[in-house]
């Protein structure tokens, strides 16, 4: 019985060591961020901490779009829903549309419409990101 009690305290020590290690890692990470971004702490105090959660970051870095062809040759094709990186350019999106709808980019005119918006906006600048 006495040995079982020791095992429990060893586990408690391990938990404490793990917590200490996490704190040190967190501290080292904050020092690294502060070194890279000197104003981060000042801005954090003013605006609150940034969420470095991977899922939240992924949401900010991507957008879900529904791509629909209005070309007479492919208008009957079903709309395609894709999750695209926000860094993708209009010209890269045109290449994707070429693959999906078999229409050369020079004949494409892309438009963008947010849900609930009435009229679509032209996406005329091939160098712009989504």
């Amino acid at each position: 019985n006495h040995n079982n009690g020791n095992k429990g305290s060893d586990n408690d020590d391990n938990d404490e060591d793990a917590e200490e290690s996490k704190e040190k890692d967190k501290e080292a990470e904050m020092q690294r961020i502060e070194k890279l971004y000197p104003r981060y702490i000042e801005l954090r105090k003013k605006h609150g901490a940034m969420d470095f959660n991977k899922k939240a970051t992924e949401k900010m870095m991507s957008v879900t779009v529904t791509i629909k062809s209005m070309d007479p040759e492919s208008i009957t094709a079903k709309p395609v829903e894709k999750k695209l990186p926000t860094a993708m350019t209009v010209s890269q999106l045109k290449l994707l549309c070429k693959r999906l709808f078999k229409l050369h980019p020079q004949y494409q005119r892309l438009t963008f419409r947010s849900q609930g918006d009435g009229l679509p906006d032209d996406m005329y600048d091939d160098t712009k990101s989504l």
Side-chain angles (χ1 to χ4, degrees):
N1 268 356
H2 185 64
N3 285 342
N4 287 342
N6 283 343
K7 281 186 181 178
S9 77
D10 285 348
N11 285 340
D12 290 344
D13 289 345
N14 288 342
D15 289 345
E16 286 174 21
D17 290 346
E19 283 298 316
E20 236 175 81
S21 179
K22 281 182 186 178
E23 282 299 315
K24 285 180 183 177
D25 288 348
K26 207 174 197 178
E27 206 172 291
E29 179 70 8
M30 285 305 293
Q31 287 174 352
R32 189 180 71 79
I33 289 171
E34 187 177 6
K35 190 175 183 180
L36 289 170
Y37 310 102
R39 292 195 62 212
Y40 176 74
I41 292 187
E42 172 192 339
L43 294 171
R44 181 179 172 186
K45 285 178 184 173
K46 184 174 182 180
H47 302 287
M50 284 185 62
D51 184 4
F52 289 107
N53 177 333
K54 188 175 180 183
K55 286 190 179 195
T57 304
E58 280 178 11
K59 278 187 179 180
M60 291 185 339
M61 301 302 285
S62 65
V63 62
T64 302
V65 299
T66 302
I67 305 169
K68 185 164 82 171
S69 175
M70 300 306 284
D71 179 63
E73 297 289 318
S74 57
I75 198 165
T76 57
K78 287 184 178 179
V80 178
E81 193 168 290
K82 291 270 186 194
K83 190 173 187 176
L84 304 174
T86 55
M88 178 181 249
T89 63
V90 171
S91 62
Q92 290 170 323
L93 180 57
K94 284 183 175 183
L95 291 174
L96 175 63
C97 290
K98 176 185 177 185
R99 205 171 67 227
L100 293 171
F101 303 115
K102 317 271 187 282
L103 181 63
H104 197 277
Q106 76 184 42
Y107 302 116
Q108 294 177 21
R109 180 176 151 230
L110 300 185
T111 58
F112 163 78
R113 183 171 58 119
S114 291
Q115 262 184 330
D117 280 357
L119 298 172
D121 293 319
D122 277 322
M123 297 173 74
Y124 56 85
D125 187 348
D126 285 354
T127 63
K128 293 269 189 198
S129 61
L130 300 179

